[in-house]
């Protein structure tokens, strides 16, 4: 039985974990850097231990002090939150070595899913659809053409050593292939000193849809439906919703079954997320990666299912059997989350620091706020700029949008610029109302509206 | 009432005289606010490991699950000029190299640079803490075997040649 | 179609109504007294009109200025909230006379239910159980005895002109009756100059259970289950929950059917509440009165049903047909509400005024806050002391209690004393956990615990 | 840095010089805060009927559903000593007894006590507002047919014998 839980994280997720622990009757220990002495999670915890100076590498990532704090305070479990040490298999093993429960999956599962190539291979074996493409380096333009004919155009040729779009060629038809292959090889050799390229099906402007899964140490696993996280800016999610406005019930059920199979294939024993890209034209979806932790956007799933994911995560880490069955998990209504960041959208989303001279959170029916700040709090400059998550629930998606609009209008933050006005623009956009937006929505639509920075 | 030309001492006098907790002086563009800092911090203070820098240990500062505010012990005024040796890591504070041995130092002892002061044990590793200054040990803050957090004051040393 | 709604109220309920209106796309007009210029509801409304000085009789009850404000701003509807003009049939008629929709039931329904004797007679005719007793004044001790034999002891003899317990006698058995009758008659004559007394069955330490009803202008009416409001101090509710921990499903269903019949009998066309006292020993219940308005504690019903009562209230006032059917209203989980009053429980619940120097509201899963204040707000001395309602939802009653405990601990108010510590005592009490508490809980248990004022 | 003996003018100079929005001077027990009052009020100001006491009408102050902050027109300094006649009820402001009639008063007119100034119509009832003082009408604040709220300034009258 976990009796005292150390939270190896900060900000809103540390507060979220303290809430779950307290409702379970578990004592809490916060660990904090010198920059976080006045933070809300430090105040809310039963005990708090300073573990180092502001830089994460010397505090929130400095596992030695975290483990020492756990041992000193008599904590019998550590919750890593998200980010920091949450997907570090070594840390999970270190906890185990000193007889502390790591509130997350087994180190083996973290390791398998942490390596993209291994994960993709395992998923393929488990029958999970992955993006079709070459198994390894392509030897010739002819091999590339054969493969492209097989999987269908458009395809993308990427340097195996590449990244950030360099050495990448999108090929829309047969005629372009040989030229593109040669150009990619040349560019790869020049840029990375490695001519190796591979080929994959190119999914243009997909939706990002992820399935929440939950497993226990006794072989049980369930899914809790999907989240649509396609509203992104430079791969950072800004807004998430559940259910996805474009999935039909058959696809939803199929994706859920596949996600559970994926989780089972690595004996997954915690909360986790199977991420897919979803092609709206073909209605096909492909495994991208698995996140072996609780996610920022977990509340939208909690709002439509009534299941407290963080409580469940702690319970299964403690060895409890999952008391949920797949049939017993129902969903009601619609939920949307907006990430409220201390960033100035008019200055290219420059993170802001400063004191919250006024801070009034929205309330009333169907509104949930998960925040790491309070009125008068000074935001330190060292960490993530997310200060709060605003989550709403409505009977229908239309109701939820109206409620989010209302709640954003009530959310008053002074002293720092936030992304509230930017979110107000998003939720008023006709394409958002249609629900057909894809991962390029922010770039494409906001630019057309007079610039991403105008708001 | 205008704030211009009114000196703070005058306002401070008023504060005392009338037992105000806040005094605001305003003139068109400017605002002057005087507050008596109450014992209650802007946030209800709970004892934190390490906020108590006068030597509180984890044991003594462990707070009740929903405990009330607790006043913080004041640092004695005369310590102001003393050098503070702080914990560089989280762990258990030991005054002696082994349970049967004499403590490395006692209050009043003279120490030199690099003299051993204590051990902070973390995950079975014994970290010896040495004196960064020359002087007289005026205060040993944690109790033996107390848990210390990062940055917690372990010793106060009056620097002397 | 209502396009602009004037809210003839203040505080948290004014904020609540603004929220509902905004989600429906309706413009809002706040009216406020000179003491409320800085209030949250004034800030949140689209327009705001000062209607008078601080005393309610010259502002929130001064209907002339309220109607003038409605006409001047072009409001086509007025929501009266609770208290103030909400159950004033004359005001409802005055609205109608100037072609403004009164967001509440018809003046006839208000009038019928506003008079206790009429209401009791109508309810009896509609088959609603009422407290058994004499139809009018009792003529003799012999008549009293016959009636008491019929309805069973204990009974209570009350002066028809009485009030506040004067001229009241509780009679536990036949032998005491004649003496008690004569004493009550004598006391009534002396105290009120009117010897008339009546007799009723005495329900000792009942539960206060009320059924939420909702009707439209087209003859439809449904109920939304019950609320248990037995935690009271001097007839002021402090904490409410839904469902009641002591009702079985058959009783719940029967009470719901009866409440709908009661509502139909007066063609009830709005939200309303049928209040019952419930005798835990006999499991019988008796109609007490009907409240013809939205109630303070409506959120607990919203939390377990997912139905937004204030939105529905506005829609039915606008003539919309109820889109809910009785079968379509399900309940999930358990909800509890604590009324957070600016009162000092250690000083006999003396109302407090002052500035909220710190004000941090709880958040996270299952927590809802309906408040009328914000950080830095100065509470004026002229009105009700309730500054916020804290409502939680949990999968089970046990979960909800744990969550309320957690949320109360997170609720930080500085600058004024509040009832938060008092609520913390209530929810930790074994009798509260059992759920068997009755209306004497606060007086009896808190006194035994070392005084109502100790906390 | 200690706040004692430091005069406000000095601090004000710093504020201007360094374009500070806040300056805090602390000494052990006391705290002095200097702020440049920004245009944004502590709460985002939205135009309210009646907060604008210089004569804004309902029509002009009706705000957009989610409108931004709007600065409030300043009251001219010279009005300081003038008598303000405020609306005793909510209604529509009329300067004349009927659409075709002359206004009761114009700016610059001399008025006596109980002279009629205007009508505020509420729910079809014409409420005549009379002057409570003797003097010269310096300002007629609302426009004809504007809605006025309780306490809104209707006239500013310079008292004269």
């Amino acid at each position: 039985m976990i009796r005292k839980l150390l939270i190896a994280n900060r900000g809103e997720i540390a507060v979220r974990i303290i809430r779950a622990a307290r409702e379970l009757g578990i004592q809490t220990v916060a660990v904090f850097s010198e920059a976080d002495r006045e933070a809300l999670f430090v105040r809310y915890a039963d005990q708090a231990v300073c573990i180092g100076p502001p830089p994460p590498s010397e505090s929130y990532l400095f596992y030695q002090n975290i483990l020492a704090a756990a041992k000193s305070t008599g904590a019998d479990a550590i919750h890593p939150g998200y980010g920091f040490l949450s997907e570090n298999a070594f840390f999970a093993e270190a906890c185990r070595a000193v007889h502390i429960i790591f509130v997350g999956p087994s180190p083996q599962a973290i390791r398998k899913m942490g390596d993209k190539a291994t994960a993709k291979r395992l998923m393929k074996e488990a029958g999970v659809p992955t993006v079709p493409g070459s198994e390894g380096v392509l030897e010739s333009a002819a091999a590339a053409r054969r493969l492209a004919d097989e999987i269908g155009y458009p395809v993308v040729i990427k340097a195996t050593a590449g990244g950030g779009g360099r050495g990448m060629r999108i090929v829309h038809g047969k005629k372009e292939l040989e030229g593109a292959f040669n150009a990619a090889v040349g560019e790869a050799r020049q840029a990375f000193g490695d001519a190796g390229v591979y080929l994959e099906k190119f999914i243009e402007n997909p939706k990002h849809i992820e399935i929440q899964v939950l497993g226990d140490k006794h072989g049980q696993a369930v899914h809790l439906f999907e989240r649509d996280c396609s509203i992104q800016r430079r791969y950072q999610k800004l807004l998430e919703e559940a259910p996805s406005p474009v999935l039909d019930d058959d696809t939803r059920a199929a994706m859920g079954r596949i996600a559970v199979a994926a989780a089972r294939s690595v004996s997954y024993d915690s909360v986790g997320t199977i991420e897919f890209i979803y092609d709206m034209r073909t209605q096909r979806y492909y495994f991208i990666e698995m996140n072996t932790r609780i996610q920022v956007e977990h509340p939208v799933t909690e709002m439509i299912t009534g299941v407290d994911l963080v409580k469940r995560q702690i319970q299964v880490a403690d060895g409890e059997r999952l008391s949920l069955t797949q049939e017993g998990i129902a969903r009601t209504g619609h939920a949307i989350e907006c990430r409220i960041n201390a960033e100035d959208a008019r200055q290219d989303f420059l993170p802001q620091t400063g004191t919250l001279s006024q801070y009034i959170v929205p309330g009333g029916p169907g509104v949930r706020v998960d925040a790491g700040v309070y009125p008068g709090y000074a935001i330190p400059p060292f960490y993530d700029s997310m200060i709060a998550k605003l989550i709403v629930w409505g009977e229908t998606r239309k109701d939820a949008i109206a409620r989010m609009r209302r709640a954003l209008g009530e959310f008053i933050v002074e002293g720092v610029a936030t992304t509230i006005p930017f979110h107000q623009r998003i939720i008023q956009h006709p394409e958002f109302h249609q629900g057909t937006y894809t991962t390029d929505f922010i770039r494409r639509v906001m630019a057309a509206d007079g610039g991403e920075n105008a708001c | 009432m205008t704030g211009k030309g009114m000196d703070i001492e005058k306002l401070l006098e008023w504060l005392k005289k009338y037992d105000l907790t806040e005094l605001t002086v305003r003139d068109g563009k400017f605002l002057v606010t005087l507050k008596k800092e109450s014992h209650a911090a802007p946030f209800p203070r709970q004892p934190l490991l390490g906020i108590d820098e006068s030597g509180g240990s984890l044991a003594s500062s462990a707070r009740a699950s929903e405990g009330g505010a607790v006043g913080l012990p004041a640092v004695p005024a005369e310590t102001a000029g003393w050098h503070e040796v702080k914990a560089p890591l989280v762990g258990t504070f030991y005054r002696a190299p082994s349970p049967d041995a004499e403590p490395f130092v006692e209050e009043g002892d003279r120490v030199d640079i690099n003299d051993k002061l204590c051990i902070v044990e973390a995950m079975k590793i014994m970290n010896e803490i040495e004196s960064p200054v020359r002087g007289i040990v005026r205060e040993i803050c944690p109790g033996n075997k107390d848990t210390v957090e990062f940055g917690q004051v372990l010793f106060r040393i009056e620097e002397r040649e």
Side-chain angles (χ1 to χ4, degrees), chain A, chain B:
Chain A
M1 264 284 288
I2 295 174
R3 302 211 296 193
K4 194 184 260 194
L5 177 68
L6 182 141
I7 296 106
N9 215 302
R10 63 178 303 284
E12 70 84 19
I13 193 62
V15 173
R16 173 71 188 90
I17 297 162
I18 291 169
R19 287 177 170 147
R22 191 152 288 163
E23 291 179 18
L24 291 170
I26 295 171
Q27 292 281 303
T28 53
V29 180
V31 294
F32 63 97
S33 82
E34 288 176 320
D36 276 337
R37 203 173 280 280
E38 301 298 322
L40 192 63
F41 73 96
V42 174
R43 308 302 181 151
Y44 275 169
D46 296 313
Q47 276 178 279
V49 181
C50 181
I51 51 164
S57 60
E58 299 172 51
S59 48
Y60 297 107
L61 289 168
F62 194 68
Y63 68 90
Q64 295 92 330
N65 275 353
I66 293 170
L67 291 174
K71 292 313 267 185
S72 310
T73 54
D76 42 19
I78 293 181
H79 196 306
Y82 52 68
F84 294 135
L85 296 166
S86 62
E87 294 183 283
N88 184 317
F90 170 77
F91 181 68
E93 273 166 352
C95 287
R96 194 174 274 194
V98 295
H99 309 293
I100 286 174
I101 294 170
F102 175 79
V103 181
S106 67
Q108 294 82 350
I110 298 175
R111 201 157 269 142
K112 284 175 184 164
M113 287 302 188
D115 180 69
K116 284 209 176 194
T118 309
K120 188 169 176 181
R121 183 175 51 75
L122 287 170
M123 290 304 103
K124 259 182 153 165
E125 289 170 15
V128 177
T130 56
V131 181
S134 55
E135 292 287 331
V137 169
L138 278 173
E139 282 164 34
S140 64
R145 194 164 46 239
R146 274 195 304 277
L147 189 59
D149 283 346
E150 193 186 317
I151 64 180
Y153 290 90
V155 296
V156 59
I157 302 174
K158 290 180 185 170
T160 47
R166 292 189 73 187
M168 193 171 117
R169 283 285 184 289
I170 295 162
V171 185
H172 291 277
K174 204 174 268 197
K175 279 185 268 181
E176 306 162 34
L177 190 78
E178 186 155 343
F181 179 85
N182 293 331
V185 166
E187 199 172 310
R189 184 183 292 116
Q190 198 170 31
F192 312 111
D194 175 354
V197 297
Y198 65 101
L199 181 145
E200 258 184 9
K201 186 158 183 64
F202 180 63
I203 316 294
E204 208 171 352
N205 300 333
K207 267 195 175 279
H208 174 119
I209 290 179
E210 58 187 33
I211 307 284
Q212 176 70 53
V213 294
L214 169 61
D216 68 14
K217 293 187 192 301
H218 309 278
Q220 292 286 324
V222 294
H223 74 86
L224 294 102
F225 311 106
E226 83 284 6
R227 296 184 286 261
D228 191 326
C229 310
S230 309
I231 303 278
Q232 302 181 354
R233 181 184 167 274
R234 300 184 188 169
Y235 303 105
Q236 291 288 315
K237 295 169 188 169
L238 292 176
L239 180 153
E240 303 94 353
E241 63 179 315
S244 168
V246 299
L247 286 199
D248 59 44
D249 277 343
D250 286 348
T251 309
R252 175 171 294 122
M255 289 179 84
R257 275 194 304 274
I258 285 165
V260 169
R264 278 191 212 278
S265 74
V266 292
S267 304
Y268 200 77
D269 57 349
S270 186
V271 294
T273 301
I274 316 284
E275 295 196 342
F276 294 94
I277 51 175
Y278 177 83
D279 187 337
M280 284 217 287
R281 276 153 304 210
T282 62
Q283 298 186 21
R284 295 187 67 172
Y285 43 90
Y286 308 96
F287 170 84
I288 293 297
E289 62 172 326
M290 180 171 191
N291 295 315
T292 56
R293 52 170 160 81
I294 191 78
Q295 280 189 277
V296 175
E297 60 270 29
H298 75 274
V300 293
T301 301
E302 295 184 325
M303 297 291 268
I304 62 163
T305 61
V307 174
D308 188 316
L309 289 169
V310 181
K311 275 193 200 171
R312 299 278 178 177
Q313 182 187 24
I314 294 170
Q315 288 170 326
V316 296
D318 206 7
E320 280 188 35
R321 276 177 188 280
L322 212 55
S323 55
L324 287 171
T325 59
Q326 193 63 61
E327 299 70 40
I329 303 170
R331 65 185 170 85
T332 319
H334 198 94
I336 305 175
E337 171 182 281
C338 288
R339 302 187 184 196
I340 311 300
N341 297 341
E343 293 173 358
D344 191 345
R346 289 165 306 181
Q347 290 186 57
D348 199 29
F349 292 83
L350 187 72
Q352 307 285 303
T353 60
T355 297
L356 299 175
S357 53
Q358 186 56 287
Y359 178 74
I360 303 178
V361 294
V367 171
R368 167 177 170 183
V369 179
D370 277 35
V373 302
Y374 56 85
Y377 177 69
I379 299 168
F382 306 101
Y383 312 107
D384 189 82
S385 61
M386 192 175 73
I387 59 171
K389 302 186 305 204
L390 171 57
I391 308 107
V392 301
W393 177 90
E395 287 184 64
T396 64
R397 185 168 188 266
K398 193 162 164 269
D399 290 337
I401 293 173
R403 186 160 278 165
M404 180 57 88
R405 185 159 181 271
R406 183 272 285 178
L408 286 168
E410 289 179 10
F411 208 148
I412 296 170
V413 180
E414 285 173 29
V416 296
T418 72
T419 48
I420 291 169
F422 194 72
H423 281 296
Q424 288 174 318
R425 287 183 61 205
I426 294 173
I427 59 152
Q428 282 173 38
H429 200 283
E431 193 171 325
F432 179 72
H433 282 254
Q434 280 166 33
T436 51
Y437 57 85
T438 54
T439 48
D440 65 332
F441 173 78
I442 295 294
R443 182 172 41 77
R444 183 171 45 79
V445 177
M446 292 294 169
D449 270 10
E452 194 180 77
N453 299 341
C455 78
Chain B
M1 193 167 78
T2 162
K4 275 181 191 153
M6 179 173 292
D7 76 22
I8 290 183
E9 212 145 12
K10 183 76 190 163
L11 298 178
L12 291 177
E13 269 171 41
W14 288 1
L15 270 184
K16 276 187 185 160
K17 191 170 167 190
Y18 299 109
D19 197 30
L20 300 173
T21 56
E22 183 163 343
L23 173 65
T24 301
V25 183
R26 202 187 262 282
D27 105 324
K29 299 197 195 75
F30 296 99
L31 177 70
V32 179
T33 304
L34 288 173
K35 281 185 196 173
K36 247 189 173 173
E37 218 173 69
S38 70
H39 263 281
F43 211 119
R45 267 280 183 238
Q46 295 175 301
L48 299 178
L49 246 180
I51 276 201
D52 172 359
E53 295 195 330
S54 68
S57 69
L58 179 64
S60 69
S61 68
R63 34 182 146 132
S65 177
E66 278 146 31
V70 173
L72 299 175
V75 177
E78 65 269 32
T79 67
W82 296 348
H83 187 92
E84 294 183 336
V85 180
K86 295 182 180 180
L89 76 169
V90 180
T92 307
F93 177 82
Y94 290 108
R95 291 193 50 199
S98 69
D100 309 322
E102 290 294 302
F104 291 108
V105 291
E106 295 285 1
E107 287 179 2
D109 282 2
R110 175 172 281 279
V111 291
D112 209 341
I113 292 171
N114 292 346
D115 277 2
K116 292 184 178 63
L117 296 174
C118 68
I119 281 171
V120 175
E121 181 251 301
M123 309 310 291
K124 315 284 182 205
I125 294 164
M126 302 294 162
N127 303 278
E128 292 181 341
I129 309 294
E130 300 176 348
S131 180
V133 295
R134 177 175 300 168
I136 295 164
V137 176
R138 288 300 179 193
E139 203 180 340
I140 303 174
C141 303
N144 195 41
K145 296 191 188 171
D146 276 358
T147 298
V148 294
E149 64 177 354
F150 177 85
Q152 184 170 338
V153 176
L154 306 177
F155 299 91
R156 289 198 171 83
I157 300 175
E158 184 181 358
E159 287 188 73
R160 287 234 199 133
E161 278 310 306

